[in-house]
Amino acid sequence: QVQLAESGGGLVQAGDSLRLSCAASERTFSPYKMGWFRQAPGKEREFVASITFTTGFTNYEHSIKGRFTISRGNADNTVYLQMNGLKPEDTAIYYCAATNTASNFYDYWGQGTQVTVSS
C-alpha cells in the first residue's frame, strides 16, 4: 500500500511563508492527481489545492488563491505547497492526498502536518 508523507509544517507568524512537501513511499507510484487539504480545529476538512500530473492543471480553493502555489517535483510522486502571506485562519492540519482517477475522490492520504500561524 502506497503511503504519503508530509513535511514542512510549523509555527510561524502572520505574513510568513512555509513550504509543505509530500512524497509517496513508492518510486513507481504515478498518480493522476495530487492535492492538499486542511482541517482546522472544530471544522471539517476542506480542499486547498490540486494538480493534475499529466496536464499540469492546477485548482485552488478561492480563499487561498494568489497566496498558495501547488507544484509537482521532478519525480512523479512528489508535490509541494508553497504558502505565502500566511494568516491565522490558515492554521490547520494539512493533508496530502492522491488519486489515480480524474474524480475528486482521493484514494491515498498522508498523516498530516500541523501549520500554526500566530497573529
Side-chain angles (χ1 to χ4, degrees):
Q1 177 73 1
V2 173
Q3 296 181 339
L4 303 179
E6 305 96 336
S7 61
L11 171 63
V12 297
Q13 294 186 332
D16 285 350
S17 299
L18 277 176
R19 188 193 194 204
L20 305 183
S21 301
C22 174
S25 57
E26 301 291 335
R27 287 189 176 184
T28 57
F29 180 63
S30 184
Y32 178 85
K33 180 168 62 176
M34 293 187 75
W36 288 96
F37 293 76
R38 67 185 181 184
Q39 187 167 18
K43 295 187 177 181
E44 293 187 353
R45 186 170 59 194
E46 65 175 359
F47 169 79
V48 175
S50 67
I51 183 167
T52 300
F53 276 31
T54 54
T55 64
F57 175 78
T58 57
N59 190 28
Y60 295 94
E61 192 272 330
H62 75 277
S63 73
I64 59 89
K65 194 174 291 187
R67 297 190 296 124
F68 293 8
T69 303
I70 189 170
S71 61
R72 55 173 293 183
N74 290 330
D76 283 342
N77 60 357
T78 59
V79 68
Y80 304 100
L81 185 68
Q82 178 67 41
M83 305 186 295
N84 298 328
L86 283 162
K87 304 176 181 180
E89 52 263 43
D90 294 319
T91 295
I93 299 174
Y94 284 71
Y95 297 91
C96 172
T99 176
N100 290 318
T101 73
S103 77
N104 290 324
F105 179 81
Y106 286 78
D107 308 279
Y108 306 92
W109 291 86
Q111 294 297 310
T113 185
Q114 177 71 48
V115 172
T116 303
V117 185
S118 64
S119 57

